[in-house]
């Protein structure tokens, strides 16, 4: 069975662009908080503080323990827009009474959105399912330079090996970028050394 893969930033951007607003919001929240499908379903008003840009997940609603998660500015803005007019999703059957977030779509609908966004469901890097949005969150943290310790906290992993598994699951171009980053670091060090030893004219 193929392992899960993450959506690369451009793939996620296309998915968020083509999906209807109700599903796009769910995909965005999942990919920027790492919440599992079951955790998204349990979210209530009291768990979300858009003014403080925080999501507080109680332990009884979370797998592996609760926690406080920061919300990116864009996620807050999109969430506010949906809350201002939640009925926009009623036609799709995704609004339950007094929910703070639309229900996650069925896998068939999710796959249709991926296809519309021109995102391959399975590649040599792995396959995509809804849980891949959580893998996407962890992978994007790694790509952004977030430490593994902080990523473990944000992903709420009790075992650091789970976080390490995501952090070591990079595509070849990510590995190449890391190597090139080392080259740039050494070049900067050399330039600094040259400047330090240069004689004044």
């Amino acid at each position: 069975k193929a392992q899960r893969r993450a959506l690369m930033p451009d793939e996620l951007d296309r998915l968020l662009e083509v999906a209807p607003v109700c599903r796009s919001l769910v995909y965005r929240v999942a990919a920027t908080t790492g919440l599992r499908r079951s955790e998204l379903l349990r979210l209530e008003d009291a768990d979300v503080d858009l003014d403080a840009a925080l999501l507080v997940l109680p332990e009884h609603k979370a797998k592996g323990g609760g926690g406080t998660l920061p919300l990116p500015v864009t996620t807050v803005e999109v969430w506010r827009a949906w809350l201002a007019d939640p009925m926009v999703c009623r036609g799709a059957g995704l609004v339950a009474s007094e929910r703070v977030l639309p229900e996650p779509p069925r896998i068939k609908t999710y796959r249709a959105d991926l296809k519309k966004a021109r995102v391959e469901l399975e590649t040599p890097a792995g396959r995509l399912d809804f849980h891949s949005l959580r893998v996407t969150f962890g992978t994007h943290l790694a790509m952004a330079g977030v430490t593994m310790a902080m990523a473990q906290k944000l992903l709420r992993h009790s075992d650091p090996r789970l976080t390490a598994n995501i952090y070591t699951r990079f595509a070849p171009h990510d590995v190449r970028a890391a190597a090139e980053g080392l080259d740039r670091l050494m070049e900067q060090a050399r330039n600094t050394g040259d400047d330090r030893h240069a004689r004044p004219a």
Side-chain angles (χ1 to χ4, degrees):
K1 187 177 181 180
Q3 68 175 3
R4 289 188 180 97
R5 76 173 180 90
L7 284 88
M8 290 297 98
D10 61 311
E11 293 178 321
L12 178 61
D13 190 58
R14 292 201 302 273
L15 175 63
L16 299 179
E17 183 68 26
V18 305
V21 61
C22 46
R23 296 201 295 273
S24 182
L25 172 60
V26 173
Y27 299 150
R28 184 183 295 276
V29 173
T32 59
T33 64
L35 291 188
R36 303 169 178 87
R37 184 187 185 90
S38 60
E39 294 167 342
L40 292 168
L41 282 167
R42 296 184 186 125
L43 279 184
E44 297 176 314
D45 276 336
D47 306 328
V48 182
D49 186 344
L50 295 182
D51 291 332
L54 292 175
L55 191 155
V56 182
L57 195 64
E59 288 194 15
H60 69 278
K61 295 181 181 179
K63 178 182 176 182
T68 300
L69 300 170
L71 295 171
V73 172
T74 304
T75 298
V76 170
E77 292 174 348
V78 174
W79 210 334
R80 281 190 190 280
W82 178 76
L83 286 172
D85 186 19
M87 292 301 100
V88 71
C89 295
R90 183 170 288 283
L94 293 176
V95 173
S97 61
E98 299 180 2
R99 283 190 58 79
V100 72
L101 188 71
E103 294 180 16
R106 295 179 179 179
I107 189 65
K108 183 178 180 180
T109 303
Y110 172 57
R111 287 173 177 167
D113 285 339
L114 288 170
K115 183 177 181 180
K116 187 177 180 181
R118 307 185 315 282
V119 176
E120 294 186 44
L121 289 176
E122 193 158 344
T123 70
R127 61 183 173 85
L128 291 175
D129 59 11
F130 193 84
H131 197 80
S132 293
L133 293 169
R134 177 172 167 80
V135 177
T136 297
F137 176 57
T139 300
H140 287 190
L141 289 176
M143 294 173 71
V146 175
T147 65
M148 194 180 299
M150 178 57 71
Q152 181 185 347
K153 180 177 180 180
L154 293 173
L155 285 160
R156 295 167 290 115
H157 281 155
S158 57
D159 187 342
R161 289 176 296 183
L162 296 173
T163 313
N165 184 46
I166 292 177
Y167 263 51
T168 55
R169 198 184 302 170
F170 287 108
H173 67 272
D174 297 316
V175 176
R176 173 52 50 196
E180 291 172 354
L182 292 177
D183 285 340
R184 286 194 297 272
L185 186 65
M186 294 301 293
E187 184 178 357
Q188 289 172 3
R190 284 193 297 271
N191 291 338
T192 301
D194 291 343
D195 292 342
R196 189 182 300 125
H197 295 105
R199 294 181 180 179

